[in-house]
């Protein structure tokens, strides 16, 4: 049965208030699950978000022969990849989950072979894998593509270290080869590496388990290969807070809250958003692990900006859609320049139908003229970040909205409607 959200808008009035806690980062948890393949034994994780993408990644480990189960609650996960008996990523799941590509590094490094489906494009863009193919070859593997499948074999069954330079910074590319280097013979150097906090966290948990990784969080990461890892002591790996979920809630607060405090966060991971909101005139209070925002009243105008997405620590592309909703409220002409993905502005057509003044200049740039009021509409969630942006827009719009295709939202936000109701949003999940 398909479900959809029904949201009653506040007609531009700031009605939300209270506190909302951020959960563990989707884009960290998914990679730690993949990293279990590097271990000689199970790994225990906590603060794991209970979301569809995590369930799918655990399904891949199980269907390949590993075990994955929840501990005392859905946020505690134990993964043991030792039972994996195949080198083929489960196609029906892998081709729908781009993140599954990070499994290729550990599998190839551990078992000498990996077969995986081309992860394919999605609404935000083509999602090529050329960096992966080239880097596997540099580490001593042969790559054969037959149809939609890649078959990668390490010569003599073992990868060797190599010097890799990524023409474009790639988050999953960096993570895949950081993990491959952990079991390759010799030294691997990744240059022009992505610097996301989730990569630093991944390197930290691997180093705590016997890996030798230096430079995570900088453009050059060096990995000295060794033997399979072991989780030390009884402490579970605690997943780093989700900076994208945190940022989405802050934007919601800036639009629709009398006062909203977002807790369980690491403000240092949100500097770009904090600076941008502050520049626009949004009132923000910062504490060590929380941020409080207030929507500015009618009198106080929000400044328009040129928003340019950029690899970390620049403005995150995953916050571009929620931010664009806020820009409809800014007094003047803003431009959104999505530099990373070529298909990540298509959702703005739906904002236009809600009443936003949006002009698509090309597939990377839109102009937003404000302030405009938004009216509720029936919308389809094209991907998880635009889907949440539609929820944010619907909460402040006049009238009711329906948001369909909400599996896309459940992929990355746990029980989102329940959590938003606790701060005053009028949102219900309905069975179609
Ligand atoms: C990761 O995607 C995240 N996904 C994305 O979050 C995020 O938007 C993106 O990084 C950028 O921050 C996960 O971590 C699972 P890229 P990823 O490889 O790694 C080009 C979400 O909503 N490229 O960093 O797939 C590519 O076309 C998702 O949680 C190549 O050219 O993104 C893009 O232009 C959406 N060749 C650029 O690099 C390659 O072989 C950055 O993509 C690989 C990538």
């Amino acid at each position: 049965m398909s479900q959809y959200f029904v949201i009653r808008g506040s007609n531009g009035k700031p009605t939300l208030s209270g506190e909302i806690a951020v959960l563990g980062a989707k884009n960290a948890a998914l990679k730690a699950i993949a990293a279990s393949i590097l271990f000689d034994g199970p790994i225990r994780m906590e603060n794991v978000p209970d979301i569809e993408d995590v369930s799918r990644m655990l399904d891949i480990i199980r269907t390949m022969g590993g075990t994955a189960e929840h501990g005392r609650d859905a946020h505690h996960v134990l993964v043991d990849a030792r039972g994996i008996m195949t080198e083929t990523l489960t196609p029906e799941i892998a081709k729908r989950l781009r993140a599954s590509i990070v499994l290729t590094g550990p599998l190839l490094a551990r078992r000498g072979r990996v077969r995986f489906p081309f992860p394919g494009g999605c609404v935000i863009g083509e999602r090529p894998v050329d960096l992966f193919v080239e880097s596997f070859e540099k580490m001593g593997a042969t790559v054969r593509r037959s149809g939609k499948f890649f078959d990668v074999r390490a010569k003599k069954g073992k990868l060797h270290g190599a010097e890799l330079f990524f023409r474009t910074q790639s988050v999953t590319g960096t993570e895949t080869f950081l993990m491959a280097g952990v079991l390759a013979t010799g030294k691997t150097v990744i240059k022009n590496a992505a610097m996301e906090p989730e990569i630093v966290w991944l390197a930290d948990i691997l180093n705590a388990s016997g890996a030798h990784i230096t430079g995570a969080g900088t453009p050059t990461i060096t990995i000295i290969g060794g033997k399979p890892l072991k989780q030390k002591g009884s402490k579970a790996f605690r997943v780093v807070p989700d900076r994208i979920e945190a940022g989405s809630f802050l934007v919601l607060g800036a639009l629709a809250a009398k006062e909203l405090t977002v807790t369980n966060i690491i403000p240092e991971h949100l500097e770009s958003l904090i600076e941008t909101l502050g520049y626009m005139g949004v009132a923000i209070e910062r504490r060590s692990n929380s941020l409080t925002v207030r929507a500015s009243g009618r009198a106080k105008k929000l400044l328009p900006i040129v928003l340019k997405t950029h690899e970390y620590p620049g403005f995150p592309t995953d916050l571009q859609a929620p931010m664009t909703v806020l820009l409809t409220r800014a007094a003047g002409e803003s431009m959104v320049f999505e530099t990373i993905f070529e298909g990540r502005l298509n959702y703005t057509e739906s904002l236009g139908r809600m009443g936003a003044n949006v002009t698509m200049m090309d597939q990377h740039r839109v102009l937003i003229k404000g302030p405009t009021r938004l009216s509720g509409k029936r919308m389809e969630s094209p991907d998880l970040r635009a889907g949440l942006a539609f929820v944010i827009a619907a909460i402040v719009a006049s009238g009711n909205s329906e948001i369909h295709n909400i599996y896309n939202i459940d992929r990355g936000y746990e029980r989102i409607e329940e959590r938003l109701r606790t701060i005053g949003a009028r949102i219900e999940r309905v069975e179609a």
Side-chain angles (χ1 to χ4, degrees):
M1 286 294 273
S2 69
Q3 302 175 329
Y4 60 97
F5 288 144
V6 174
I7 297 170
R8 283 184 293 140
S10 69
N11 195 15
K13 288 191 267 321
T15 55
L16 308 184
S17 66
E19 276 195 13
I20 189 163
V22 166
L23 302 173
K26 163 175 92 80
N27 289 344
L30 294 175
K31 291 41 176 290
I33 293 167
S36 66
I37 293 169
L38 301 172
F39 283 71
D40 229 355
I43 66 168
R44 290 174 313 289
M45 300 164 60
E46 63 181 21
N47 198 34
V48 179
D50 183 15
I51 54 177
E52 293 297 338
D53 275 10
V54 164
S55 302
R56 295 299 77 74
M57 200 66 149
L58 296 176
D59 287 344
I60 291 179
I61 297 287
R62 291 187 190 104
T63 53
M64 294 179 71
T67 50
E69 56 222 25
H70 287 301
R72 62 164 181 269
D73 61 31
H75 297 154
H76 288 74
V77 172
L78 180 139
V79 189
D80 188 342
R82 283 175 297 179
I84 287 182
M85 286 97 65
T86 171
E87 290 84 29
T88 301
L89 293 195
T90 319
E92 310 73 51
I93 310 176
K95 63 176 183 284
R96 290 201 338 262
L97 180 63
R98 165 80 187 183
S100 62
I101 196 160
V102 299
L103 288 156
T104 57
L107 263 176
L108 183 62
R110 187 83 194 257
R111 302 177 64 92
R113 185 181 183 190
V114 63
R115 296 182 70 248
F116 61 101
F118 185 84
C122 61
V123 286
I124 66 173
E126 168 51 30
R127 318 305 293 274
V129 291
D130 50 330
L131 297 178
F132 293 79
V133 172
E134 291 158 22
S135 302
F136 284 138
E137 288 169 341
K138 285 179 189 163
M139 292 185 79
T142 56
V143 181
R144 275 198 17 258
R145 178 170 181 176
S146 44
K148 280 239 178 270
F149 255 84
F150 289 96
D151 188 352
V152 189
R153 296 167 189 248
K155 290 173 198 134
K156 302 201 275 304
K158 191 83 178 142
L159 290 180
H160 58 68
E163 177 149 319
L164 310 172
F165 187 92
F166 286 164
R167 285 186 305 286
T168 63
Q169 283 175 308
S170 166
V171 172
T172 48
T174 301
E175 293 159 334
T176 298
F177 290 93
L178 178 153
M179 290 193 276
V182 167
L183 296 184
T185 49
K187 178 164 81 167
T188 300
V189 180
I190 303 171
K191 292 189 171 178
N192 198 23
M195 299 180 272
E196 271 67 4
E198 294 78 27
I199 295 172
V200 175
W201 178 78
L202 178 66
D204 286 348
I205 66 167
L206 298 181
N207 282 337
S209 309
H212 302 283
I213 303 162
T214 52
T218 77
T220 303
I221 300 177
T222 302
I223 308 105
I224 307 298
K227 51 190 197 311
L229 306 177
K230 249 178 149 34
Q231 186 168 22
K232 303 225 166 59
S234 58
K235 245 179 95 40
F237 298 138
R238 182 168 183 75
V239 179
V240 66
D242 193 320
R243 62 192 166 93
I244 303 303
E245 181 174 81
S248 309
F249 292 154
L250 287 167
V251 170
L252 171 64
L255 257 173
K258 294 193 278 280
E259 179 174 294
L260 178 67
T261 297
V262 183
T263 62
N264 288 2
I265 66 173
I266 300 175
E268 290 70 25
H269 293 169
L270 286 153
E271 302 280 15
S272 180
L273 175 67
I274 293 167
E275 288 305 310
T276 303
L277 291 175
Y279 175 80
M280 290 178 68
V282 173
I284 303 183
E285 269 161 59
R286 178 170 176 163
R287 281 175 293 287
S288 60
N289 72 345
S290 71
L291 287 162
T292 299
V293 286
R294 293 177 188 79
S296 36
R298 280 194 208 295
K300 195 159 179 326
K301 296 240 176 295
L302 288 181
L303 267 184
I305 57 169
V306 174
L307 180 75
K308 187 174 159 201
T309 63
H310 191 278
E311 292 81 0
Y312 191 88
F315 193 91
T317 173
D318 291 348
L319 285 177
Q320 176 257 104
M323 194 65 183
T324 301
V325 178
L326 181 63
L327 294 180
T328 67
R329 184 59 62 78
E333 187 172 278
S334 297
M335 181 165 83
V336 175
F337 185 8
E338 169 55 58
T339 65
I340 297 182
F341 292 112
E342 72 280 8
R344 208 166 200 180
L345 289 169
N346 299 334
Y347 72 92
T348 55
E349 184 272 331
S350 296
L351 291 187
R353 283 193 304 109
M354 293 183 81
N357 183 335
V358 181
T359 311
M360 181 79 90
M361 296 169 74
D362 58 41
Q363 61 181 17
H364 286 278
R365 294 179 302 162
V366 287
L367 278 183
I368 312 273
K369 289 200 184 91
T372 54
R373 309 192 70 76
L374 301 175
S375 56
K377 283 281 178 288
R378 185 194 190 286
M379 294 178 276
E380 296 277 333
S381 168
D383 66 83
L384 74 158
R385 307 304 181 187
L388 194 84
F390 290 168
V391 170
I392 292 172
I395 287 172
V396 289
S398 60
N400 291 354
S401 296
E402 283 184 10
I403 298 177
H404 292 257
N405 206 10
I406 58 175
Y407 175 85
N408 269 342
I409 300 175
D410 292 333
R411 286 186 54 183
Y413 300 94
E414 179 184 326
R415 294 177 297 106
I416 191 63
E417 79 280 11
E418 292 170 35
R419 297 162 66 203
L420 290 178
R421 277 203 296 269
T422 65
I423 56 172
R426 298 177 296 178
I427 175 173
E428 299 295 329
R429 182 186 293 258
V430 175
E431 290 293 340

